[in-house]
Amino acid sequence: MIMKEEKMQWCKARQPANQSGITLTRRKNKQGEYVCYLSKKTMRAYLWKVCGDIYDAAHNG
């Protein structure tokens, strides 16, 4: 019963995470927490944003 409830909670969390560009996995780390990562599209957008901010700060005072 616990496994079914845990799976339902995971499925509920997965959909909004995917919409935000985060991929949840069923793998767990040593602390028992689920592992997640950014999708390639989200990671690229994030890196362009960060690099752009750094560039702007360096060149615009």
Side-chain angles (χ1 to χ4, degrees):
M1 186 70 153
I2 293 173
M3 289 293 287
K4 186 175 182 179
E5 187 174 313
E6 185 176 316
K7 183 177 179 181
M8 287 175 52
Q9 290 175 354
W10 183 83
C11 288
K12 278 185 176 180
R14 187 174 176 214
Q15 184 177 10
N18 284 344
Q19 291 172 348
S20 299
I22 300 169
T23 301
L24 296 179
T25 68
R26 290 182 189 254
R27 293 178 309 203
K28 292 185 178 182
N29 61 18
K30 291 179 182 178
Q31 291 79 27
E33 301 164 332
Y34 283 109
V35 176
C36 61
Y37 56 91
L38 294 177
S39 66
K40 286 182 181 181
K41 181 179 177 182
T42 303
M43 180 59 81
R44 283 189 190 124
Y46 175 75
L47 289 174
W48 277 109
K49 168 84 171 94
V50 170
C51 292
D53 289 348
I54 292 169
Y55 179 86
D56 289 343
H59 291 91
N60 295 329

